[in-house]
Amino acid sequence: MRILDIHTVKKQLTMSMAIEAIEELLNVQGEHPTWVKTPERLVIPTFEESSTKSSGSHLSMPAVVFDGTNEYAIVKLVTICPDNPKRDKPTTMANVTVSDNDTGEMLAFLDGVYITQVRTAALSGIATKYLANPDSQVAAVVGTGGMAYEQLNAILTVRPNIKQVNLWNRTEQTAHKFQEKFKKDYPQWDVDFTVCDDIEAAILDADIINLATRATSGLFEAAQIKADAHINAVGAYQASMKEVSNSVIEASTSVIIDDAEGGLHEAGDLIQAHEDADSTWTWDKLTGTLSDLINEKVTIDLNANKGITLFKSVGAASFDAAVALKVAQKAKKDDLGQFVAL
């Protein structure tokens, strides 16, 4: 078994590699639906009874992937720790195991923090590739926590013409830290940053808007954004959370989700819109899934006046599996990580 710490994972996992791995997975699912198995994740609330710690959750996310020759079991174990930013640690802590189903041997044990960040961002990158204007120039990042770095990296990977990035965070100092860290960690992107005092200024001229917050009500209305803006919403991962307002959902000509089944329980924005008697949006108006885009069951004409497009991400174990398996296979080929005989 190979043990791959976060530093080893970071050295070999690129955004392009993650995007390619997930697109390959979605193609396989389209052609052979039974080759990828992802049972519903197990979610256990944490610290619900504590008055001194913020409640979070622990998740077990298994998947089985068959590639036509070999089959693998990949399991991600996640703990959501809302108090971690105060400790200078990621809110989402995770580890991933990769096993060979032929022999049952564990092939790799990987740090899953970076894999989670990159695969979540890669989903936004894929959605942006299929839903955002090809000549997008301005991006807005709303919520500048740990997930936001790779999410911005992903949209720049597929829309490299972006030159202006507007930042907004509830705590302005965090947005300034984001700017400094992003410039240092991603010198390949020549973009100008503006830290905005209010969210309205950040989103006003944005062609692409990235959302990654724990908001419980819509952050802005449809009238406040461009008529053809694309939105990637990766926050609001519980039914009680909401960062995309009903007016934005209702105004969207396309609403795409990564995992339709998971969204019924976890996509707070869409769940609340569906349940709101004053909302005109219901689940039967969902345009489709990311797989539908990849496999051309849903097509969006980006050369026309496409209107507002919305991508809602809740995540699924299969996406982690695709990226983790790619990393594990590369590590074996290049003899990376620490090998431990079990």
Side-chain angles (χ1 to χ4, degrees):
M1 176 183 71
R2 293 182 186 276
I3 298 177
L4 308 176
D5 63 16
I6 191 169
H7 304 292
T8 306
V9 173
K10 280 187 172 183
K11 284 181 181 178
Q12 59 182 316
L13 177 56
T14 66
M15 183 56 65
S16 296
M17 178 178 162
I19 288 174
E20 179 183 348
I22 294 174
E23 286 194 299
E24 287 176 358
L25 174 90
L26 293 172
N27 276 321
V28 167
Q29 282 185 307
E31 296 175 6
H32 306 282
T34 60
W35 285 17
V36 180
K37 300 179 178 68
T38 52
E40 187 173 349
R41 72 189 78 183
L42 173 66
V43 181
I44 304 173
T46 59
F47 288 113
E48 282 189 314
E49 305 304 319
S50 175
S51 59
T52 60
K53 299 179 183 292
S54 299
S55 61
S57 55
H58 178 77
L59 298 80
S60 177
M61 302 171 61
V64 170
V65 177
F66 180 59
D67 62 10
T69 304
N70 300 305
E71 187 177 81
Y72 304 91
I74 302 97
V75 181
K76 187 173 81 166
L77 300 174
V78 186
T79 306
I80 306 296
C81 309
D83 294 330
N84 264 3
K86 302 173 187 176
R87 307 175 179 118
D88 198 27
K89 294 178 180 291
T91 300
T92 302
M93 302 294 283
N95 292 291
V96 185
T97 63
V98 179
S99 300
D100 183 341
N101 280 355
D102 188 29
T103 64
E105 295 176 291
M106 187 178 294
L107 304 178
F109 181 86
L110 304 83
D111 180 278
V113 173
Y114 191 62
I115 286 176
T116 300
Q117 292 172 347
V118 173
R119 76 87 161 132
T120 301
L123 294 168
S124 289
I126 295 169
T128 299
K129 175 180 174 181
Y130 286 88
L131 296 172
N133 287 330
D135 60 347
S136 296
Q137 301 287 317
V138 180
V141 175
V142 177
T144 56
M147 287 292 178
Y149 292 95
E150 289 302 329
Q151 195 184 18
L152 178 57
N153 182 30
I155 68 167
L156 292 173
T157 298
V158 299
R159 290 292 182 266
N161 290 332
I162 292 173
K163 297 301 179 187
Q164 174 65 37
V165 177
N166 299 329
L167 306 176
W168 181 84
N169 194 76
R170 185 176 56 181
T171 304
E172 187 174 315
Q173 183 181 4
T174 304
H176 285 289
K177 287 182 179 179
F178 178 97
Q179 175 182 340
E180 294 169 7
K181 188 175 188 303
F182 193 90
K183 285 184 175 181
K184 178 182 177 182
D185 292 348
Y186 307 91
Q188 68 270 33
W189 301 123
D190 181 21
V191 295
D192 294 323
F193 285 95
T194 300
V195 175
C196 300
D197 294 332
D198 55 63
I199 193 171
E200 290 82 2
I203 63 176
L204 179 63
D205 296 318
D207 300 296
I208 301 169
I209 303 171
N210 283 353
L211 304 179
T213 75
R214 289 168 55 86
T216 55
S217 60
L219 295 169
F220 52 83
E221 303 300 328
Q224 295 175 284
I225 62 176
K226 294 181 71 171
D228 60 351
H230 171 64
I231 301 167
N232 296 307
V234 306
Y237 54 84
Q238 295 178 356
S240 60
M241 296 178 177
K242 186 175 181 66
E243 55 185 1
V244 184
S245 67
N246 287 357
S247 71
V248 171
I249 298 171
E250 292 166 350
S252 296
T253 56
S254 299
V255 178
I256 299 292
I257 197 167
D258 55 355
D259 178 30
E261 184 176 350
L264 292 172
H265 310 289
E266 299 174 19
D269 319 275
L270 303 183
I271 291 170
Q272 292 184 44
H274 172 82
E275 294 177 349
D276 189 341
D278 295 326
S279 169
T280 62
W281 193 88
T282 51
W283 278 111
D284 61 348
K285 294 184 179 179
L286 183 73
T287 308
T289 65
L290 211 53
S291 177
D292 293 331
L293 285 177
I294 298 294
N295 293 290
E296 298 183 340
K297 294 180 180 178
V298 170
T299 57
I300 309 297
D301 185 359
L302 300 183
N303 296 313
N305 184 15
K306 69 175 184 65
I308 295 172
T309 51
L310 170 63
F311 170 62
K312 177 61 186 176
S313 177
V314 295
S318 57
F319 305 134
D320 297 287
V323 176
L325 180 58
K326 185 78 76 173
V327 171
Q329 290 172 330
K330 189 173 186 293
K332 180 179 179 180
K333 177 183 177 183
D334 298 341
D335 195 22
L336 301 173
Q338 178 184 0
F339 185 80
V340 177
L342 297 178

